[in-house]
Amino acid sequence: MTNDLLQQLRVHGAVPAHVAIIMDGNGRWAKGRALPRPLGHHAGMKSVREVVEGCLEAGVGVLTLFAFSQDNWKRPAGEIEALMKLLEEYIAKEANELRAQGVAVRILGHLDPLGPGARNAVDRIVAETAGGQSLALNLCISYSARAEIARAARLLAESAAAGRLDPRDIDEDAVGRMLYTAEWPDPDLLIRTSGEMRISNFLLWQLAYAELYVTPVLWPDFTRRHLFEAIVEFQRRDRRFGRVSV
Ligand code: FPP
């Protein structure tokens, strides 16, 4: 069913090396069915599997998903608990298959507030999938881009204060090396589901030149076909990086 699009995007040219996704709309999806919000998040797990498979099929090298923001700690306790349980469930269910598919999972964010169950689960999946060569899957959990940039500034200041770094050497590359994403290229394509036109404190530094793609589709309805449509649209864009078209 998706072969036509897959074929099309292969013919069109460069597939984005790095795709980032703001997975939004789980709550609205549940509300539309008169279900509790956590069931929307639960349904969203299937879409995570879809985009992982889609990236493997299309040849995307890095997939970064916004799963839980630092601001999400302000949600009702019951919803936070449900999201943390879901993270554990996701890991228990997916770890073996991700490893078998060569997907290396990494967790980006400030993990101190995570309870022991979620913390053990994320440590486990990172260890068990380390070395995967097909796809880097970054799950942003308890993540805030501003906090990430502030952390990078603090790390650079500490190096300078300790005499390991000359402040005159602090440039964009030096900042980039202190971000959670240091080892990957910046995202080429940012997808946001559910129609909201916001960045929501996600990868503020790294998205400087990303192409933005917003779809009205709610996250639990998002499939690999939608991912391929986004990539085909990306391939039509004229990326100039501040230069003029050639
Ligand atoms: C935003 O929808 C989504 C989240 C806060 C959670 C995303 C989590 C998943 C997709 C679950 C599975 C994924 C992993 C990796 C465990 P929202 O609640 O803000 O929706 P709304 O805007 O419609 O209320």
Side-chain angles (χ1 to χ4, degrees), residues 23-29 37 40-48 65-69 72 75 79 83 86-88 90-91 139 141 192 194 196 198 218-219:
M23 309 182 287
D24 195 13
N26 296 345
R28 273 162 286 169
W29 184 92
R37 292 175 56 83
H41 300 313
H42 197 271
M45 256 192 324
K46 184 174 47 61
S47 301
V48 174
L65 300 177
F66 203 3
F68 189 86
S69 81
N72 288 154
R75 290 191 176 199
E79 184 168 343
L83 278 165
L86 191 64
L87 180 63
E88 289 179 49
Y90 171 77
I91 291 169
L139 302 179
I141 290 166
R192 182 167 188 149
S194 94
E196 307 286 355
R198 286 193 289 275
L218 303 176
W219 179 251

